[in-house]
Amino acid sequence: MNAKPLMIKGPAGNTPPLRDGLRAIAPTVRSVLLFSLCINVLMFVSPLYMLQVYDRVMSSRSVGTLIAITVIAGFLLAMYGLLEMTRTRVLVRAGMMFDEKIAEPAFNAIHRGMLRRPGGNLGQGLRDVDTLREFLTGAGLLAFCDAPWFPVFVFGAFLLHPWYGWIAIVGSIVIWGLTLLNEVLTRRDLTEATAASMVASQRAATTFRNIEVLQAMGMLGALRSIWSGVHLTHLGWQARASDRAGTLMAGTKFFRTFLQTAILGVGGYLAIQREISPGGIIAGSIIIGRALQPMELAVGNWKGFVAARGAYKRLRELFELAGTQPAQMPLPKPLGAVSVESVLAAAPGQRTAILRGVNFLLPAGEVLCIVGPSGAGKTTLARVLTGIWPIASGALRLDGYDLSQWDPQELGQYIGYLPQDVELFSGTVAQNISRFQDAANPEDIIAASTLAGCHEVIQQMADGYNTQIGDGGQALSGGQRQRVALARALYGNPSLVVLDEPNSNLDSAGEDALTQAIRALKTTGTTVVLITHKINILATADKILVMAGGVVQSYGPRDEILSRLAGPRAVPSPPTQQPATPANTATTQFAHISPGVAR
Ligand code: ADP
């Protein structure tokens, strides 16, 4: 995760989850091929029956023979139906096996990929898994498994009469040629249409996510016209593709119908010339029809094939972007000593460094307050400390272990993080506090909320801890959201707690609760990193780090830094030594700290 990049596979070959998924369905492909063998052999039943009826029964006028061959044909066709049904059931199970191998890795890959390329439309990956699964374990695979039977039916057609054989070959070449032409003429249009459609749906989703701003400031029209522009581009490409595909489809349909008539016409001619029997006319028509069937199936499934190919390509890119997460040796619970050594970091996918050579050592159990003007890089530092953003160079250690040596999920349970934009998930308050753990202990949940000072606040909610907070916590006020998120950060006694402006939405009661929580964390030996603009919270700090322009301006014990910051200016002494008044509490900001502060 941090210093060392994850192992990223080269572009050649399949990425492991895709390979595993394809391997999982390989036995099914083999059994479906076997089923297809039997099914295709049984497809000869109808033409052979026709031949017998016309050539044997008609000439002998034997009802007994007719009944006998009808019973045999009926039995064989029932077998055919049974095999078709079994083949479909096998495919459904293969689909589930494919999904089992690939769906969860894809989910994980989207998570890792989004951290590396925020804003990329990677959520599409789950739909791509569905598209690929539906094609590989549905009609697409069946068309593929039936294709090897083409030569067998062509051979059957040649046995009836060489002309039939040639009609089957030329007919399939023309149908195949029309399909390829369709692909060549519509590929670019369809790619553009899909890309525009993804952008349009992403734009619409973002627009509706910020619905309140839209309503309050009358921005709907402007944003709708931006969406509409992309949507119309999508429609334009789609219409172009559909026009071309429609023309070619009509040509294919005409050719197929004409061919059917021509086969009967040729059969009639051959029968007049006594080169085939009257039964041969019907049998020829059926056999050529069967020979052309794989081609027609391929044509019918072409759209699915193109979609599956696109999905496959995107999934491969996704897995390559996400890389693999190497197995890590489990490490003991850290005490929380943080060491940041010459850290250089940029936003994912960006080249400009935001943090430039950040250095500091924070012993376990201490409280560090980070202050500095907006855009100083404080949030970025919080992100690299929690392993959200990778670092470009330098080292970041927790208890001496580089962050990259931890398994991110394992490390996550030892870290509490309260982001600036509180992100809660749809579910109950209790679920959110317990980080959606399956077997969360109610006592731990209450302990965390008590520590965060929101136990009473939650008790007063309509359903207490069982209150559904809605998508993103809509049902809560800004302050309540921040306090629930603080409880989530403190859940499970983490070793390192990183709080990014935890008091931005808090009232004075909330701030008092926060101060008490930090003091309580200190007594339990938890390391706390706190970003704040407000001076009163500095009373809890052991150390203060002043940031500006992505570099550390000063770092040291609280009193020392405060006295340096005060300089000739009259900065209030720490609130511990002075009763809290409106003048030196919530309203006192640190935004004035300039890059020129002496170290
Ligand atoms: P602070 O928390 O001190 O206000 P930030 O760490 O949020 O500062 O931002 C520091 C700098 O990094 C800013 O100049 C900001 O524009 C830039 N920055 C922050 N997030 C991103 C991002 N996701 N992509 C590119 N630049 C970013």
Side-chain angles (χ1 to χ4, degrees):
M1 88 193 209
N2 268 48
K4 274 186 229 153
L6 295 168
M7 271 162 35
I8 297 181
K9 277 254 175 189
N14 287 329
T15 46
L18 269 174
R19 200 181 49 215
D20 290 351
L22 294 176
R23 270 198 195 144
I25 59 167
T28 310
V29 174
R30 282 195 285 276
S31 57
V32 169
L33 272 171
L34 194 71
F35 277 117
S36 298
L37 168 89
C38 305
I39 287 170
N40 279 282
V41 167
L42 289 170
M43 276 184 180
F44 280 101
V45 169
S46 298
L48 285 175
Y49 178 75
M50 286 290 173
L51 270 179
Q52 297 309 312
V53 170
Y54 275 86
D55 299 346
R56 192 163 296 190
V57 177
M58 294 297 217
S59 53
S60 68
R61 298 184 156 269
S62 159
V63 176
T65 312
L66 181 63
I67 291 172
I69 60 171
T70 306
V71 168
I72 293 171
F75 171 74
L76 291 175
L77 289 175
M79 295 298 294
Y80 166 83
L82 210 65
L83 284 172
E84 279 273 18
M85 188 188 77
T86 318
R87 185 165 77 163
T88 313
R89 292 177 80 97
V90 168
L91 280 175
V92 170
R93 268 134 205 88
M96 280 151 77
M97 255 146 53
F98 179 78
D99 199 82
E100 200 176 291
K101 292 280 177 205
I102 204 171
E104 287 191 6
F107 199 94
N108 292 343
I110 292 170
H111 167 239
R112 286 200 300 274
M114 296 262 251
L115 286 174
R116 281 160 188 231
R117 198 196 289 159
N121 192 14
L122 301 181
Q124 168 78 20
L126 293 180
R127 280 195 296 277
D128 285 339
V129 169
D130 289 340
T131 309
L132 196 58
R133 188 198 56 234
E134 277 161 22
F135 180 78
L136 285 179
T137 58
L141 182 74
L142 289 182
F144 167 76
C145 289
D146 278 344
W149 288 93
F150 171 70
V152 178
F153 283 108
V154 171
F155 180 69
F158 267 108
L159 281 186
L160 266 177
H161 195 277
W163 285 20
Y164 277 151
W166 289 115
I167 289 176
I169 289 176
V170 173
S172 55
I173 289 175
V174 172
I175 292 178
W176 196 236
L178 285 170
T179 311
L180 281 186
L181 195 65
N182 187 9
E183 153 79 356
V184 171
L185 291 181
T186 58
R187 181 189 286 182
R188 181 164 164 257
D189 300 346
L190 285 178
T191 312
E192 297 281 354
T194 311
S197 154
M198 283 182 193
V199 175
S201 48
Q202 205 177 6
R203 279 209 167 273
T206 324
T207 304
F208 294 128
R209 223 181 4 255
N210 299 316
I211 195 89
E212 292 182 4
V213 176
L214 224 68
Q215 171 69 9
M217 291 183 274
M219 290 161 65
L220 182 69
L223 285 167
R224 190 186 51 228
S225 64
I226 293 178
W227 165 81
S228 182
V230 191
H231 178 64
L232 287 178
T233 312
H234 155 68
L235 276 191
W237 286 112
Q238 188 69 50
R240 244 174 80 124
S242 300
D243 276 352
R244 290 179 171 181
T247 311
L248 284 163
M249 200 58 87
T252 313
K253 270 190 183 156
F254 155 75
F255 179 74
R256 185 67 190 86
T257 324
F258 170 74
L259 198 64
Q260 202 62 43
T261 318
I263 294 164
L264 290 174
V266 168
Y269 175 77
L270 292 175
I272 292 169
Q273 301 299 318
R274 295 192 183 280
E275 298 215 14
I276 57 168
S277 64
I281 303 177
I282 308 294
S285 162
I286 292 177
I287 284 196
I288 296 176
R290 293 289 189 216
L292 294 179
Q293 205 174 32
M295 297 297 146
E296 287 168 336
L297 267 177
V299 173
N301 284 300
W302 197 252
K303 237 179 158 172
F305 171 71
V306 173
R309 191 178 54 189
Y312 178 80
K313 193 164 155 268
R314 280 192 297 274
L315 279 174
R316 218 171 72 170
E317 283 166 6
L318 169 69
F319 284 121
E320 277 169 10
L321 170 73
T324 46
Q325 182 61 54
Q328 310 277 34
M329 186 188 89
L331 294 170
K333 182 176 176 179
L335 293 171
V338 178
S339 145
V340 180
E341 301 158 23
S342 309
V343 162
L344 203 81
Q350 308 280 321
R351 302 185 74 113
T352 325
I354 300 174
L355 297 182
R356 295 176 290 130
V358 173
N359 260 314
F360 67 89
L361 282 174
L362 181 64
E366 291 205 351
V367 176
L368 166 70
C369 280
I370 304 178
V371 296
S374 284
K378 304 182 297 294
T379 297
T380 306
L381 182 56
R383 284 179 178 138
V384 299
L385 280 176
T386 45
I388 301 170
W389 281 9
I391 58 175
S393 72
L396 230 162
R397 300 179 195 281
L398 189 59
D399 278 22
Y401 295 106
D402 197 289
L403 281 204
S404 61
Q405 293 169 16
W406 295 84
D407 174 88
Q409 291 303 309
E410 200 195 327
L411 177 64
Q413 59 181 317
Y414 305 132
I415 287 190
Y417 176 52
L418 174 62
Q420 213 167 0
D421 297 324
V422 170
E423 290 161 359
L424 295 176
F425 302 93
S426 182
T428 65
V429 173
Q431 281 176 319
N432 270 279
I433 293 178
S434 64
R435 307 179 180 190
F436 283 83
Q437 275 181 357
D438 270 346
N441 187 345
E443 282 157 20
D444 292 341
I445 298 175
I446 293 171
S449 64
T450 310
L451 190 57
C454 60
H455 180 58
E456 281 83 27
V457 177
I458 296 170
Q459 277 180 322
Q460 281 158 20
M461 289 180 189
D463 290 320
Y465 280 89
N466 299 318
T467 307
Q468 289 285 345
I469 62 160
D471 196 19
Q474 289 158 343
L476 305 181
S477 75
Q480 284 174 332
R481 268 204 290 276
Q482 207 157 30
R483 291 174 85 164
V484 169
L486 177 64
R488 178 181 62 184
L490 304 184
Y491 175 80
N493 302 319
S495 308
L496 170 65
V497 172
V498 179
L499 309 174
D500 193 349
E501 300 201 20
N503 44 357
S504 57
N505 280 320
L506 297 183
D507 53 11
S508 58
E511 290 214 355
D512 290 346
L514 176 67
T515 313
Q516 273 175 26
I518 294 169
R519 288 193 204 286
L521 287 173
K522 217 158 146 176
T523 58
T524 57
T526 309
T527 310
V528 180
V529 175
L530 189 120
I531 298 173
T532 185
H533 273 305
K534 297 183 181 175
I535 196 164
N536 59 331
I537 210 91
L538 293 186
T540 57
D542 294 304
K543 299 262 168 60
I544 294 182
L545 186 145
V546 184
M547 282 202 83
V551 295
V552 177
Q553 291 289 311
S554 19
Y555 174 63
R558 179 193 63 202
D559 295 340
E560 187 188 318
I561 299 294
L562 281 181
S563 61
R564 272 200 233 167
L565 287 178
R569 252 196 279 192
V571 166
S573 52
T576 37
Q577 294 149 25
Q578 183 179 307
T581 67
N584 68 355
T585 54
T587 51
T588 316
Q589 304 284 312
F590 262 80
H592 69 274
I593 294 167
S594 72
V597 175
R599 200 167 171 173

